Amino acid sequence: MAKAKTRDDQRIIVRRLRKRDLKRVQTLHEECYPGMASWNRKQYDELINVFPEGQLCLEFDGQLVAVSSAVRVDGSNFTVPHDYEALGIGQGLDSFDPEGDTLYGVDIAVRPRSRGLRLARRLYDARKQLARDLNLRRMLIGGRVPNYHKHAEKLTIHEYVDKVLQRRLRDPTLNAQLANGFSLRRVLPNYLPNDQESRGYAVLLEWLNPHYVPPERVEPSTVRVATVNYQMRSVTSFEEFTTQCEFFIDTAGDYHCDCLLFPELLTNQLLALVPPARPSEQARALDRFTEPYVDYFHRAAIKYNINIIAGSHLIVENGRLYNVAFLFHRDGRIDRQYKLHITPSERRWWGVEHGDEIRVFDTDIGKIAILICYDSEFPEIARAATAKGAQIFFIPYNTDIRAAHIRVRTCAAARCIENHVYAVLSGPIGNLPQVQGADIHYAQAAILTPSDVHFPRDGIAAQANENVEALIIHDLDMAVLRRTRRLGSVRPWIDRRKDLYSVHFPGDEPFEV
């Protein structure tokens, strides 16, 4: 006969949820929230796969008696009005931000017959400890108000919440959260439309971490970018080429710009300095300028304290010709993005070959990507870059006639809308009579935005006049970008059908875009 358990054998354990706990979690949810759906397998696995440390449960005497789930997010996206769907649970968990400053409490449930033992407080304490361990600024909760349905005919939601705060009415969930140190931020209408007890409402509650230490580097809310409608002139020396470039770098530096973009194939000006030959041989000869080109822009980025995307330059590696965009960070780092899609004319005239990796660069103004001209015409590339965190696309391009320019410009605008990002474009103008395959140019440098009421009319923040040399400068509001990605009129990034399509790049794990 088995030995009966004594009180000494009964233990309370707080631990992470495991995938095999799903059935017990579903049973617990059904007991706590009859009529409301529990996690399905996809949602549950997604939470554990993406943020396992935020999924907790409490066992008492071997029984699962309480559970809670939380996600790490960018708090600026959730201190404004939002709904439960904005968390994206079961849809890729788009809200999750590995560098976010906020722990968002998704749900908490305690078995009815185990209530009165303050078990929820243990889970709240575990969440607070997680926030301290991760050095998060706060914890947020979209809390239910399950007693509101009893008073909805006589009281507005704001009146009801006020009376609960004044202790003139009792709401089991709101009172418990207030007792755990949370304060009220705002009422959230239409948070959970199927929550009949709360009439769809929730209250946004906040707990501030008293141990939070702000990081040394905080991603800026505003980024000042500059881009060039660049006149292609014949030059007689490398120094003459850098003098022209330095004018724009110096000017952008004087205006305290964070980033400056030059056009694709910027160094084609230097083809006048190589011996006459077939176009493919001339293109390969440009590689002799790679070292001075890198040295010059490396020094300029540091000297003028500006991140420079120095257009693109043709280089030879292992006998192969590539079209490469160089990013010169103002802290001295140098990055490269190889062009991934090669136009027929690049192949025919020069024999350019393609790169194989879309990179996202971590800069002091956030994560950015470089889409070299033709690459902007392939939506998958931009989707993959956005999935990796890019918020600004820099698009150096080189087109000969207006029709070609319009292709790049239109596709860049589409990428902004599809991915809810900014795009900065720079192209060359003028003629290079001595350069076969790149003799005429047409461009209109521009800074583009998503298309919504929060952004400029027509989605154009700034643009140059067509085929007129110019430097344009604009401040990009990154806080508005992040906020409207979830709360805009439409949400193309969030609402994409990830169950229908995905993208896989060599060397990467498959991921949904």
Coordinates of all heavy atoms in Angstrom, one line a residue, residues 412-481:
A412 N 10.6 50.7 -54.6 CA 11.0 51.1 -53.3 C 9.8 51.6 -52.5 O 9.7 51.3 -51.3 CB 12.0 52.3 -53.4
A413 N 8.9 52.3 -53.1 CA 7.7 52.8 -52.4 C 6.9 51.6 -52.0 O 6.3 51.6 -50.9 CB 6.9 53.7 -53.3
A414 N 6.8 50.6 -52.8 CA 6.0 49.3 -52.5 C 6.7 48.6 -51.3 O 6.0 48.1 -50.4 CB 5.9 48.4 -53.7
R415 N 8.0 48.6 -51.3 CA 8.7 47.9 -50.1 C 8.4 48.7 -48.8 O 8.3 48.0 -47.8 CB 10.2 47.9 -50.4 CG 10.7 47.2 -51.7 CD 10.4 45.8 -51.8 NE 9.1 45.5 -52.3 CZ 8.7 45.4 -53.6 NH1 9.7 45.6 -54.5 NH2 7.5 45.2 -54.0
C416 N 8.3 50.0 -48.9 CA 8.0 50.8 -47.7 C 6.6 50.4 -47.2 O 6.4 50.2 -45.9 CB 8.0 52.3 -48.0 SG 9.6 53.0 -48.2
I417 N 5.6 50.2 -48.1 CA 4.3 49.9 -47.7 C 4.2 48.5 -47.2 O 3.6 48.2 -46.1 CB 3.3 50.1 -48.8 CG1 3.3 51.6 -49.2 CG2 1.9 49.6 -48.5 CD1 2.5 51.9 -50.5
E418 N 4.8 47.5 -47.9 CA 4.7 46.1 -47.5 C 5.3 45.8 -46.2 O 4.8 45.0 -45.4 CB 5.4 45.3 -48.6 CG 4.8 45.3 -49.9 CD 5.8 44.8 -51.0 OE1 7.0 44.6 -50.7 OE2 5.3 44.7 -52.2
N419 N 6.4 46.5 -45.9 CA 7.2 46.1 -44.7 C 7.2 47.2 -43.6 O 7.7 47.0 -42.5 CB 8.7 45.9 -45.1 CG 8.8 44.8 -46.1 OD1 8.6 43.7 -45.9 ND2 9.1 45.2 -47.4
H420 N 6.5 48.3 -43.9 CA 6.4 49.4 -42.9 C 7.8 49.9 -42.5 O 8.2 49.8 -41.3 CB 5.5 49.0 -41.7 CG 4.9 50.2 -41.1 ND1 3.7 50.7 -41.5 CD2 5.3 51.0 -40.0 CE1 3.4 51.8 -40.7 NE2 4.4 51.9 -39.8
V421 N 8.6 50.3 -43.4 CA 9.9 50.8 -43.2 C 10.1 52.1 -44.0 O 9.2 52.5 -44.8 CB 11.0 49.8 -43.7 CG1 10.9 48.5 -43.0 CG2 10.8 49.5 -45.2
Y422 N 11.2 52.8 -43.7 CA 11.6 53.9 -44.5 C 12.6 53.5 -45.6 O 13.3 52.5 -45.5 CB 12.3 55.0 -43.7 CG 11.5 55.6 -42.6 CD1 11.7 55.6 -41.3 CD2 10.3 56.4 -43.0 CE1 11.0 56.2 -40.3 CE2 9.5 57.0 -42.1 CZ 9.9 56.9 -40.7 OH 9.1 57.6 -39.8
A423 N 12.6 54.2 -46.7 CA 13.6 53.9 -47.8 C 14.3 55.2 -48.2 O 13.6 56.2 -48.4 CB 12.9 53.3 -49.0
V424 N 15.6 55.1 -48.4 CA 16.4 56.3 -48.8 C 17.0 55.9 -50.1 O 17.7 54.9 -50.2 CB 17.5 56.6 -47.8 CG1 18.2 57.9 -48.2 CG2 16.8 56.8 -46.4
L425 N 16.8 56.7 -51.2 CA 17.3 56.4 -52.5 C 18.3 57.5 -53.0 O 18.1 58.7 -52.8 CB 16.2 56.3 -53.5 CG 15.2 55.2 -53.4 CD1 14.2 55.4 -52.3 CD2 14.4 55.0 -54.7
S426 N 19.4 57.0 -53.7 CA 20.3 57.9 -54.3 C 20.7 57.4 -55.6 O 21.0 56.2 -55.8 CB 21.6 58.0 -53.4 OG 22.6 58.8 -54.1
G427 N 20.7 58.3 -56.6 CA 21.0 57.9 -58.0 C 21.9 58.9 -58.7 O 22.0 60.0 -58.2
P428 N 22.6 58.5 -59.7 CA 23.5 59.4 -60.5 C 22.8 60.1 -61.6 O 21.8 59.6 -62.2 CB 24.6 58.5 -61.0 CG 23.8 57.2 -61.3 CD 22.7 57.1 -60.2
I429 N 23.2 61.3 -61.9 CA 22.7 62.0 -63.1 C 23.9 62.4 -64.0 O 25.1 62.2 -63.6 CB 21.9 63.3 -62.6 CG1 22.9 64.3 -61.9 CG2 20.7 62.9 -61.8 CD1 22.2 65.6 -61.6
G430 N 23.6 63.0 -65.1 CA 24.7 63.4 -66.0 C 25.2 62.3 -66.9 O 24.7 61.2 -66.9
N431 N 26.3 62.6 -67.6 CA 26.8 61.7 -68.6 C 28.3 61.4 -68.4 O 29.1 62.2 -67.9 CB 26.7 62.4 -70.0 CG 25.2 62.8 -70.3 OD1 24.3 62.1 -70.0 ND2 25.1 64.0 -70.9
L432 N 28.6 60.2 -68.8 CA 30.0 59.8 -68.9 C 30.3 59.2 -70.3 O 30.2 58.0 -70.6 CB 30.3 58.7 -67.8 CG 30.3 59.1 -66.4 CD1 30.5 57.9 -65.5 CD2 31.4 60.1 -66.1
P433 N 30.6 60.1 -71.2 CA 30.7 59.7 -72.6 C 31.7 58.6 -72.9 O 31.5 57.8 -73.8 CB 31.1 61.0 -73.3 CG 30.6 62.1 -72.4 CD 30.8 61.6 -71.0
Q434 N 32.7 58.5 -72.1 CA 33.8 57.6 -72.3 C 33.5 56.2 -71.7 O 34.3 55.3 -71.9 CB 35.1 58.1 -71.8 CG 35.3 58.0 -70.3 CD 34.6 59.2 -69.6 OE1 33.7 59.8 -70.1 NE2 35.1 59.5 -68.3
V435 N 32.4 56.0 -71.0 CA 32.1 54.8 -70.3 C 31.0 54.0 -71.1 O 29.9 54.4 -71.1 CB 31.7 55.0 -68.9 CG1 31.4 53.7 -68.2 CG2 32.8 55.8 -68.1
Q436 N 31.4 52.9 -71.7 CA 30.4 52.0 -72.3 C 29.5 51.3 -71.3 O 30.0 50.8 -70.4 CB 31.1 51.0 -73.2 CG 32.0 51.6 -74.3 CD 32.6 50.5 -75.2 OE1 31.8 49.8 -75.9 NE2 33.9 50.4 -75.2
G437 N 28.2 51.4 -71.6 CA 27.3 50.7 -70.7 C 26.9 51.5 -69.5 O 26.0 51.1 -68.7
A438 N 27.5 52.7 -69.3 CA 27.1 53.6 -68.2 C 27.3 55.1 -68.6 O 27.8 55.9 -67.9 CB 27.9 53.3 -66.9
D439 N 26.9 55.4 -69.9 CA 27.2 56.7 -70.4 C 26.1 57.7 -70.0 O 26.5 58.9 -69.9 CB 27.3 56.6 -71.9 CG 26.3 55.7 -72.6 OD1 25.4 55.2 -71.9 OD2 26.3 55.6 -73.8
I440 N 24.8 57.4 -69.9 CA 23.8 58.3 -69.5 C 23.2 57.9 -68.2 O 23.2 56.7 -67.9 CB 22.8 58.5 -70.7 CG1 22.0 57.2 -70.9 CG2 23.4 59.0 -71.9 CD1 20.9 57.3 -71.9
H441 N 22.6 58.9 -67.5 CA 22.0 58.6 -66.2 C 20.7 59.4 -66.0 O 20.6 60.5 -66.6 CB 23.0 58.9 -65.1 CG 24.3 58.2 -65.2 ND1 25.3 58.7 -65.9 CD2 24.7 57.0 -64.8 CE1 26.3 57.9 -65.9 NE2 26.0 56.8 -65.2
Y442 N 19.8 58.9 -65.2 CA 18.6 59.6 -64.9 C 18.3 59.2 -63.5 O 18.2 58.0 -63.1 CB 17.4 59.1 -65.8 CG 16.2 59.9 -65.7 CD1 15.8 60.8 -66.7 CD2 15.3 59.8 -64.6 CE1 14.6 61.5 -66.6 CE2 14.2 60.5 -64.4 CZ 13.8 61.4 -65.4 OH 12.7 62.2 -65.3
A443 N 18.0 60.2 -62.6 CA 17.7 59.9 -61.2 C 16.9 61.1 -60.5 O 16.9 62.2 -61.0 CB 19.1 59.8 -60.4
Q444 N 16.3 60.7 -59.4 CA 15.7 61.6 -58.5 C 15.8 61.1 -57.1 O 15.0 60.3 -56.7 CB 14.2 61.8 -58.9 CG 13.5 62.9 -58.1 CD 12.0 63.1 -58.5 OE1 11.4 62.2 -59.0 NE2 11.5 64.3 -58.2
A445 N 16.8 61.5 -56.4 CA 17.0 61.1 -55.0 C 15.8 61.4 -54.2 O 15.1 62.4 -54.4 CB 18.2 61.7 -54.4
A446 N 15.5 60.4 -53.3 CA 14.2 60.6 -52.5 C 14.4 59.9 -51.2 O 15.2 59.0 -51.0 CB 13.0 60.1 -53.3
I447 N 13.5 60.3 -50.2 CA 13.4 59.6 -48.9 C 11.9 59.3 -48.8 O 11.0 60.2 -48.8 CB 13.8 60.5 -47.8 CG1 15.3 60.9 -48.0 CG2 13.6 59.8 -46.4 CD1 15.8 62.0 -47.1
L448 N 11.6 58.0 -48.8 CA 10.2 57.5 -48.8 C 9.7 57.0 -47.5 O 10.5 56.5 -46.7 CB 10.0 56.5 -49.9 CG 10.5 56.9 -51.3 CD1 10.3 55.7 -52.3 CD2 9.8 58.1 -51.8
T449 N 8.4 57.0 -47.3 CA 7.8 56.5 -46.0 C 6.7 55.5 -46.3 O 6.2 55.4 -47.5 CB 7.3 57.7 -45.2 OG1 6.0 58.1 -45.8 CG2 8.2 58.8 -45.2
P450 N 6.2 54.8 -45.3 CA 4.9 54.1 -45.5 C 3.8 55.1 -45.9 O 4.0 56.3 -45.7 CB 4.7 53.5 -44.1 CG 6.0 53.4 -43.5 CD 6.7 54.6 -43.9
S451 N 2.7 54.5 -46.3 CA 1.6 55.4 -46.8 C 0.5 55.3 -45.7 O -0.3 54.3 -45.7 CB 1.1 54.9 -48.1 OG 0.1 55.8 -48.6
D452 N 0.4 56.3 -44.9 CA -0.7 56.3 -43.8 C -0.8 57.7 -43.3 O 0.1 58.6 -43.7 CB -0.3 55.3 -42.7 CG -1.6 54.8 -42.0 OD1 -2.6 55.5 -42.0 OD2 -1.5 53.7 -41.4
V453 N -1.8 58.0 -42.6 CA -2.1 59.4 -42.1 C -1.0 60.0 -41.3 O -0.8 61.2 -41.2 CB -3.4 59.5 -41.4 CG1 -4.6 59.2 -42.3 CG2 -3.4 58.5 -40.2
H454 N -0.2 59.1 -40.7 CA 0.9 59.6 -39.8 C 2.1 60.1 -40.6 O 3.0 60.7 -40.0 CB 1.3 58.5 -38.8 CG 0.2 57.9 -38.1 ND1 -0.6 56.9 -38.6 CD2 -0.3 58.2 -36.8 CE1 -1.5 56.6 -37.7 NE2 -1.4 57.3 -36.6
F455 N 2.2 59.8 -41.9 CA 3.3 60.1 -42.7 C 3.0 61.2 -43.7 O 1.8 61.5 -44.0 CB 3.9 58.8 -43.3 CG 4.3 57.8 -42.4 CD1 3.4 56.7 -42.1 CD2 5.5 57.9 -41.7 CE1 3.8 55.7 -41.1 CE2 5.8 56.9 -40.8 CZ 5.0 55.8 -40.5
P456 N 4.0 61.7 -44.4 CA 3.7 62.8 -45.4 C 2.8 62.3 -46.5 O 2.8 61.1 -46.9 CB 5.1 63.1 -45.9 CG 6.1 62.7 -44.8 CD 5.5 61.5 -44.2
R457 N 2.2 63.2 -47.1 CA 1.3 62.9 -48.2 C 2.1 62.3 -49.4 O 3.2 62.6 -49.6 CB 0.7 64.2 -48.8 CG -0.3 64.1 -49.9 CD -0.8 65.4 -50.4 NE -1.6 65.3 -51.6 CZ -2.1 66.3 -52.2 NH1 -1.9 67.5 -51.8 NH2 -2.9 66.1 -53.3
D458 N 1.5 61.3 -50.0 CA 2.1 60.5 -51.1 C 3.3 59.6 -50.6 O 3.9 59.0 -51.5 CB 2.6 61.4 -52.2 CG 1.4 62.2 -52.8 OD1 0.3 61.7 -52.8 OD2 1.7 63.3 -53.2
G459 N 3.5 59.5 -49.3 CA 4.6 58.7 -48.8 C 6.0 59.2 -49.2 O 7.0 58.5 -49.3
I460 N 6.1 60.5 -49.5 CA 7.4 61.1 -49.8 C 7.8 62.1 -48.8 O 7.2 63.2 -48.6 CB 7.3 61.8 -51.2 CG1 6.8 60.9 -52.3 CG2 8.6 62.5 -51.6 CD1 6.5 61.6 -53.6
A461 N 8.8 61.8 -48.0 CA 9.3 62.7 -47.0 C 10.1 63.9 -47.6 O 10.0 65.0 -47.2 CB 10.2 61.9 -46.0
A462 N 10.9 63.5 -48.6 CA 11.7 64.6 -49.3 C 12.2 64.0 -50.6 O 12.3 62.8 -50.8 CB 12.9 65.0 -48.5
Q463 N 12.4 64.9 -51.6 CA 12.9 64.4 -52.9 C 13.6 65.6 -53.6 O 13.2 66.7 -53.4 CB 11.8 63.8 -53.8 CG 10.7 64.7 -54.2 CD 9.7 64.0 -55.1 OE1 9.9 62.9 -55.5 NE2 8.6 64.7 -55.3
A464 N 14.6 65.2 -54.4 CA 15.3 66.2 -55.3 C 14.5 66.4 -56.5 O 13.5 65.7 -56.9 CB 16.7 65.7 -55.6
N465 N 14.8 67.5 -57.3 CA 14.3 67.6 -58.6 C 15.0 66.6 -59.5 O 16.1 66.2 -59.3 CB 14.5 69.1 -59.1 CG 13.7 70.1 -58.4 OD1 12.6 69.8 -58.0 ND2 14.3 71.3 -58.2
E466 N 14.2 66.2 -60.5 CA 14.8 65.2 -61.4 C 16.0 65.7 -62.2 O 16.0 66.9 -62.7 CB 13.7 64.7 -62.4 CG 12.5 64.0 -61.8 CD 11.4 63.8 -62.8 OE1 10.7 64.8 -63.1 OE2 11.2 62.6 -63.2
N467 N 17.1 64.9 -62.2 CA 18.3 65.3 -63.0 C 18.9 66.6 -62.6 O 19.4 67.3 -63.5 CB 18.0 65.2 -64.5 CG 17.8 63.8 -65.0 OD1 18.3 62.8 -64.3 ND2 17.2 63.6 -66.1
V468 N 18.8 67.0 -61.4 CA 19.4 68.2 -60.9 C 20.3 67.8 -59.7 O 19.8 67.2 -58.7 CB 18.4 69.3 -60.5 CG1 19.1 70.5 -59.8 CG2 17.6 69.7 -61.7
E469 N 21.5 68.1 -59.7 CA 22.4 67.8 -58.6 C 21.9 68.4 -57.3 O 21.6 69.6 -57.2 CB 23.9 68.1 -58.8 CG 24.8 67.6 -57.8 CD 26.3 67.8 -58.2 OE1 26.6 68.9 -58.7 OE2 27.1 66.8 -58.1
A470 N 21.8 67.6 -56.2 CA 21.3 68.1 -55.0 C 21.6 67.2 -53.8 O 21.9 66.0 -54.0 CB 19.8 68.3 -55.1
L471 N 21.6 67.7 -52.6 CA 21.7 67.0 -51.4 C 20.4 67.2 -50.7 O 20.0 68.4 -50.4 CB 22.9 67.4 -50.5 CG 23.0 66.7 -49.1 CD1 23.5 65.3 -49.3 CD2 24.0 67.5 -48.2
I472 N 19.7 66.2 -50.3 CA 18.4 66.3 -49.5 C 18.6 65.7 -48.2 O 19.3 64.7 -48.0 CB 17.2 65.8 -50.3 CG1 17.3 64.3 -50.6 CG2 16.9 66.6 -51.6 CD1 16.1 63.7 -51.1
I473 N 18.0 66.3 -47.2 CA 18.1 65.9 -45.8 C 16.7 65.8 -45.2 O 15.9 66.7 -45.4 CB 19.0 66.9 -45.0 CG1 20.4 67.0 -45.6 CG2 19.0 66.6 -43.5 CD1 21.3 68.1 -45.0
H474 N 16.5 64.8 -44.3 CA 15.2 64.7 -43.6 C 15.4 63.9 -42.3 O 16.3 63.0 -42.2 CB 14.2 64.0 -44.5 CG 12.8 64.0 -44.0 ND1 12.0 65.1 -44.0 CD2 12.1 63.0 -43.3 CE1 10.9 64.8 -43.4 NE2 10.9 63.5 -43.0
D475 N 14.6 64.3 -41.3 CA 14.6 63.6 -40.1 C 13.5 62.5 -40.1 O 12.3 62.8 -40.4 CB 14.3 64.5 -38.9 CG 15.4 65.4 -38.6 OD1 16.6 65.1 -39.0 OD2 15.2 66.5 -37.9
L476 N 13.9 61.3 -39.9 CA 13.0 60.1 -39.8 C 12.5 59.9 -38.4 O 13.4 59.7 -37.5 CB 13.6 58.9 -40.4 CG 14.1 59.0 -41.9 CD1 14.8 57.7 -42.3 CD2 12.9 59.3 -42.8
D477 N 11.3 59.8 -38.1 CA 10.7 59.6 -36.8 C 10.6 58.1 -36.6 O 9.6 57.5 -37.1 CB 9.4 60.3 -36.6 CG 8.9 60.3 -35.2 OD1 9.2 59.3 -34.5 OD2 8.2 61.3 -34.8
M478 N 11.5 57.5 -35.9 CA 11.5 56.0 -35.7 C 10.4 55.6 -34.7 O 9.9 54.5 -34.8 CB 12.9 55.5 -35.2 CG 14.0 56.0 -36.1 SD 13.8 55.6 -37.9 CE 13.8 53.8 -37.8
A479 N 10.1 56.4 -33.8 CA 9.0 56.1 -32.8 C 7.7 56.0 -33.5 O 6.9 55.0 -33.2 CB 9.0 57.1 -31.7
V480 N 7.4 56.9 -34.4 CA 6.1 56.8 -35.2 C 6.1 55.6 -36.0 O 5.1 54.9 -36.2 CB 6.0 58.1 -36.0 CG1 4.9 57.9 -37.1 CG2 5.6 59.3 -35.1
L481 N 7.3 55.3 -36.6 CA 7.3 54.1 -37.5 C 7.0 52.8 -36.7 O 6.2 52.0 -37.1 CB 8.7 54.0 -38.1 CG 8.9 52.8 -39.1 CD1 8.3 53.2 -40.4 CD2 10.4 52.5 -39.3

